[in-house]
Amino acid sequence: MRGATHFSYNQLLDGLAFMGNDYGKFIEIFNEQMKKVYNINTSRTYFDCTNFYFEIDKEDNFRRKGPSKENRKDPIVSLGLLLDANQIPIGMKLFPGNESEKPVLRDVIQALKKKNQISGKTIHVADKGLNCTQNIAFSKENGDGYLFSKSVKTLPEKEKIWVLLNNEDWKEIKNDNGTLLYRYKSCIDKFPYHIEIDGKKKTIYFTEKRVVTYNPKLASKKRYEISKQVEKARSLCYSQAKRAEYGDLGKYVNFTNENGEKAKATINEDIIEKELELAGYNLLITSETNMKSTDIYNTYHNLWRIEESFRIMKSDLDARPVFLQKENSIKGHFLICYLAVLLERIFQFKILNNKYSTQEIMKFVKSFKIVKGESKYINVTTSSKFIKDFEQMTKLPLTNYYLTERQVKQIFRYKI
């Protein structure tokens, strides 16, 4: 790092604790500055949750054992993220990992919207099914909405028939070359949800739009995965493996004559056939009945940016595992990760107009390196299309092998 400031590890922890103690204020400061320089679109906002694990055995008041995204048994901290219509972060909330997203989620959304003075509709996003009926009801009552996907395999038989039959209802979306991207069909109807009120089970109905899609690329990928799993299951059958050794592959196997540790195993061809038949299908469920089916599809598939924001924190920014103990230091750590994601998103969408992927940008940020030689600096960065394009945009000597002191200062002083 050029011109790095030297400080002790204890000073770093003190700084993190100071920022973490009031992390919401720092986010508010950045949001206010964002409004001055760029447009924050809060006509529609998006929300989702994730969690981060800590490789410790003992819990405390903040790091608690709960439902981990990685199915780990370590204590975790949960993080809720609020994003604007362009999926740029505008709010973050940290809460103990043992608190289920189901009841906490409603309070988190309300707190974040109030904190950031947001009155627009918030769409709660979930990858495979919304957390619970109460959250769906809350979204409707609060004037918000939801958008989530649901596995076609878990649908009632009546809905599966709708998915697989009535071929004349399908509409196709192709690219400029005439290649099929996906096909879809949709319906609007009232669908039942089961809820418990005052200890009594009750069925309520919500009017929803449901869009079923078929993606040939996804179908090919899924069929390949199924065939690989079936192949493994067959090999276990041939080797007369114990039932416990099958794990998740057991869904493709029939077990009979269990008189001891071993059981006679045969491949369940019916299950395999049904899974292959449903490969490539996906069901999108939303409260936004007035949205076009193509807009629902595009919106949902753009929402990978929320998950990608979490992935950037967890992978590119090494947000986990967290080697911190004090609650405020942990909060400060995640605030830094949040701000890094925010700056990356601004750079990606406001400066580069979403022409480049996050992977390309993060690779440039992490790999751009120069080494000081005897008289000049040597640029040891691996060339890429992004660096060449960015050089054209900024007129900076980013692809030069030799760099002078003046050129290096020019690079570091450049303002976007």
Side-chain angles (χ1 to χ4, degrees), residues 256-272:
T256 56
N257 299 328
E258 299 182 48
N259 296 319
E261 291 186 345
K262 289 186 179 181
K264 185 178 179 181
T266 55
I267 295 296
N268 189 329
E269 301 291 350
D270 290 338
I271 291 293
I272 297 169

Side-chain angles (χ1 to χ4, degrees), residues 286-340:
T286 182
S287 56
E288 310 308 290
T289 56
N290 293 325
M291 282 183 72
K292 294 180 180 179
S293 298
T294 51
D295 289 341
I296 292 171
Y297 180 89
N298 292 331
T299 299
Y300 179 79
H301 285 273
N302 279 334
L303 293 177
W304 59 266
R305 290 175 187 159
I306 295 180
E307 286 299 322
E308 187 185 48
S309 296
F310 294 144
R311 186 193 60 75
I312 292 170
M313 286 187 181
K314 293 180 178 181
S315 301
D316 295 326
L317 300 178
D318 297 326
R320 64 176 187 187
V322 186
F323 300 103
L324 296 166
Q325 297 182 3
K326 295 182 179 179
E327 181 175 334
N328 284 337
S329 297
I330 294 169
K331 290 178 177 178
H333 169 78
F334 286 116
L335 172 64
I336 298 298
C337 293
Y338 170 90
L339 295 178

